[in-house]
Amino acid sequence: MRINLTDNNIGQVKAGIFLRKDVSALFPIADKTIAQLCHENENLLIFPYSIEDSDDKVGEASVMTILNTSDPEKVRITTGNVMGFIGVGNLQIKIKSRFDEGRDDYLLHYMLQKVFSFNLFDLNHNNEKEDVFDFIMFMFPHLLRNAMRQGIYREYQNFKHNDSKLKGTIDWGRHIAQNIPFAGNVAYSTREYSYDNDMTELIRHTIEFMKSKRYGQSVLGLDQETIDNVISIISLTPSYNKNERGAIIGKNLRHKSHPYYTEYQPLQCLCLQILRMEEVKYGETDEEICGILFDGAWLWEEYLNTILQKEGFKHPENKKHKGGIYLFEDHSGIRYPDFYKDDIVLDAKYKKLESYEKVSKVNRNDLHQLITYITNLQASKGVFIAPLTERQQKIPKSRLKDSSASLYILGIEICHTSTSYADFCEKMKAKEAYFVDTLRQL
């Protein structure tokens, strides 16, 4: 069974109503925090992957909450700030952006396309399962790039030899079976630090699997770095055997945690998901949770960065401790504004702010945070950037008391009139250009 939801649907009274018996598999995970679910289910992948580093504390939120209704046979599922896909046993849930309309979650795919730098102009919405598979596959180059930048994964492997160059431990049983009468060879085993291991073999199997799929070859040729990474993995896995795919998957079911190769764990998780999409199960249970989810606030901010970096805005990175500002002269009280340059600070908000006629209506904590940033940077403009359902006729502006600085609410209109995904992309480019022009004129 598949059910479709939107994120942050708590205000939609009639949304998310289902028969209790149809969604009973969700009861064990309802109200659990995302951090807890990720800890209990290694096949659930959440972006940003280091949820503890997220400014929005996405790990403390829940994916969904199940509420009783006036009908004892029905329940209501409310969602939080995450989008994506999650499966529990045979039940599959698709959570799209509330800023989209209709059944085609073009906005989620478009933001992912921009953030992860892949090109997609066709979505197979007639087959949602295949669409989800394509979507997961597009994450592969990004995670492979992050992992390979830490170096090629190496670990100790046991190798069996039978030659005259003895340099390990003699395997007497194998030696007697293979080398009697003695002809000069000795059967022995060595333990070596090798690039050809269970992890790199899993990546190799994923690469070969993707080559046979729609979009797969183009995804693997996304850019030169991806091409080079694929070539490296292929050259370093000489023992690859297509018939051993099941065995390699089985050896990777226990996720590896390495103090140095930290970026390989999310890659390992994604590879397993890709290889399992064909309904081939290896040790899964009906209660196991898998999926890929995105924090809406994080994704909106990273999407804006693809536009604003071309305008010269700085985008501090909290996770990498880069680009922060200090509130105090002794370099304490570090903070990370979303975007800033010259005399303007921008704060990305994945919220519905377009109905506000006055900036003072914005959440008080958001106001205090933006005021802190513009005060510290001595900026004259602070702007909240949010998604819009229609073009702004008037941009809310409020001047701070006893100050020359003003706060604004600005946004990017989300297209609702597209006839296809390609059409959606083209119209969004025009709306982004209008947003940039408006921002320049503030």
Side-chain angles (χ1 to χ4, degrees):
M1 179 180 174
R2 297 186 183 92
I3 62 175
N4 295 312
L5 301 167
T6 61
D7 65 349
N8 286 280
N9 69 353
I10 194 168
Q12 304 169 24
V13 179
K14 296 182 180 180
I17 303 295
F18 300 93
L19 289 174
R20 184 183 296 270
K21 63 181 180 65
D22 289 342
V23 296
S24 59
L26 299 179
F27 281 82
I29 72 169
D31 294 320
K32 283 189 176 182
T33 66
I34 292 175
Q36 186 177 359
L37 287 177
C38 288
H39 177 73
E40 296 173 352
N41 304 275
E42 292 181 324
N43 291 320
L44 180 62
L45 191 60
I46 179 76
F47 281 83
Y49 186 72
S50 298
I51 55 178
E52 67 275 8
D53 293 331
S54 173
D55 288 338
D56 298 284
K57 299 182 179 179
V58 63
E60 299 175 7
S62 59
V63 175
M64 64 187 68
T65 299
I66 298 180
L67 306 174
N68 292 322
T69 67
S70 56
D71 185 342
E73 295 185 357
K74 295 181 179 180
V75 295
R76 184 179 174 219
I77 301 177
T78 62
T79 54
N81 212 38
V82 295
M83 298 175 281
F85 308 90
I86 185 170
V88 184
N90 294 322
L91 182 62
Q92 297 179 2
I93 302 97
K94 186 176 185 179
I95 307 175
K96 70 169 194 173
S97 171
R98 65 191 185 278
F99 294 100
D100 255 325
E101 290 185 358
R103 63 186 296 272
D104 298 328
D105 53 340
Y106 288 160
L107 178 59
L108 173 58
H109 287 81
Y110 181 72
M111 289 194 293
L112 290 172
Q113 173 176 319
K114 295 275 285 187
V115 171
F116 292 103
S117 303
F118 58 77
N119 292 316
L120 174 65
F121 294 105
D122 176 43
L123 289 179
N124 185 20
H125 283 290
N126 293 323
N127 185 340
E128 291 189 5
K129 178 185 172 185
E130 188 68 17
D131 177 35
V132 173
F133 173 65
D134 292 336
F135 163 79
I136 291 177
M137 198 163 53
F138 284 118
M139 302 297 105
F140 181 75
H142 174 77
L143 294 188
L144 179 63
R145 184 182 308 117
N146 288 348
M148 296 286 277
R149 286 176 179 175
Q150 289 187 328
I152 306 293
Y153 187 91
R154 293 194 301 169
E155 67 180 12
Y156 282 105
Q157 297 285 292
N158 294 319
F159 296 93
K160 293 181 179 181
H161 309 270
N162 188 34
D163 53 44
S164 60
K165 302 176 182 180
L166 177 62
K167 57 178 179 179
T169 303
I170 297 177
D171 187 339
W172 288 107
R174 192 161 53 89
H175 177 69
I176 292 172
Q178 297 180 2
N179 299 314
I180 300 299
F182 184 67
N185 289 340
V186 177
Y188 62 96
S189 300
T190 60
R191 183 171 172 80
E192 303 173 17
Y193 213 37
S194 173
Y195 289 120
D196 195 357
N197 50 64
D198 296 340
M199 176 69 79
T200 53
E201 283 289 333
L202 178 70
I203 301 171
R204 173 69 182 277
H205 278 278
T206 305
I207 290 171
E208 299 301 330
F209 181 74
M210 287 174 60
K211 286 181 179 179
S212 66
K213 296 302 172 183
R214 188 176 70 118
Y215 298 134
Q217 195 69 47
S218 60
V219 170
L220 295 175
L222 176 67
D223 52 37
Q224 191 59 50
E225 186 174 6
T226 301
I227 294 172
D228 293 341
N229 288 338
V230 169
I231 292 173
S232 294
I233 291 295
I234 291 175
S235 66
L236 294 170
T237 50
S239 61
Y240 166 78
N241 184 337
K242 180 180 179 179
N243 297 325
E244 295 181 354
R245 181 165 297 165
I248 291 297
I249 291 175
K251 291 177 181 179
N252 280 275
L253 290 179
R254 176 171 293 181
H255 287 220
K256 299 180 185 293
S257 179
H258 196 287
Y260 178 74
Y261 297 113
T262 55
E263 296 291 348
Y264 276 86
Q265 187 170 342
L267 176 61
Q268 181 188 31
C269 179
L270 190 77
C271 288
L272 289 172
Q273 289 185 344
I274 291 174
L275 293 174
R276 286 171 162 180
M277 285 304 295
E278 294 288 282
E279 292 296 322
V280 179
K281 309 291 184 182
Y282 297 91
E284 289 187 271
T285 66
D286 290 339
E287 292 77 31
E288 187 174 1
I289 301 171
C290 62
I292 182 166
L293 299 170
F294 299 88
D295 173 23
W298 172 83
L299 187 57
W300 175 250
E301 181 180 326
E302 294 306 308
Y303 160 65
L304 289 177
N305 186 46
T306 65
I307 301 169
L308 295 171
Q309 63 182 350
K310 300 174 184 177
E311 297 298 306
F313 280 90
K314 298 178 182 178
H315 180 43
E317 298 178 82
N318 186 11
K319 181 179 177 181
K320 297 180 180 179
H321 305 292
K322 293 182 178 179
I325 61 175
Y326 299 96
L327 301 183
F328 303 98
E329 290 183 349
D330 62 357
H331 278 206
S332 62
I334 190 169
R335 297 291 186 272
Y336 297 89
D338 290 342
F339 306 95
Y340 68 94
K341 74 168 185 178
D342 303 330
D343 66 339
I344 184 171
V345 183
L346 308 181
D347 195 16
K349 291 299 174 192
Y350 184 68
K351 298 178 179 180
K352 291 187 175 182
L353 301 182
E354 62 185 337
S355 61
Y356 297 160
E357 296 181 358
K358 294 185 177 181
V359 182
S360 58
K361 297 294 184 180
V362 175
N363 176 277
R364 60 181 294 172
N365 290 332
D366 294 337
L367 281 173
H368 293 167
Q369 178 177 263
L370 187 54
I371 292 172
T372 298
Y373 293 156
I374 63 175
T375 300
N376 180 274
L377 293 168
Q378 298 181 345
S380 64
K381 294 184 283 283
V383 188
F384 293 108
I385 309 293
L388 304 174
T389 58
E390 59 184 21
R391 179 172 292 187
Q392 287 175 297
Q393 301 302 315
K394 180 181 178 181
I395 298 173
K397 172 185 177 182
S398 296
R399 184 167 177 170
L400 293 174
K401 183 181 178 182
D402 300 326
S403 171
S404 60
S406 297
L407 301 187
Y408 304 78
I409 297 176
L410 189 60
I412 297 179
E413 181 189 357
I414 308 304
C415 176
H416 297 298
T417 60
S418 56
T419 56
S420 66
Y421 182 65
D423 182 49
F424 179 87
C425 293
E426 287 302 311
K427 289 180 177 177
M428 283 301 299
K429 290 179 182 178
K431 295 180 185 302
E432 291 165 359
Y434 179 82
F435 159 73
V436 170
D437 288 341
T438 305
L439 182 62
R440 291 172 178 170
Q441 294 172 21
L442 289 182

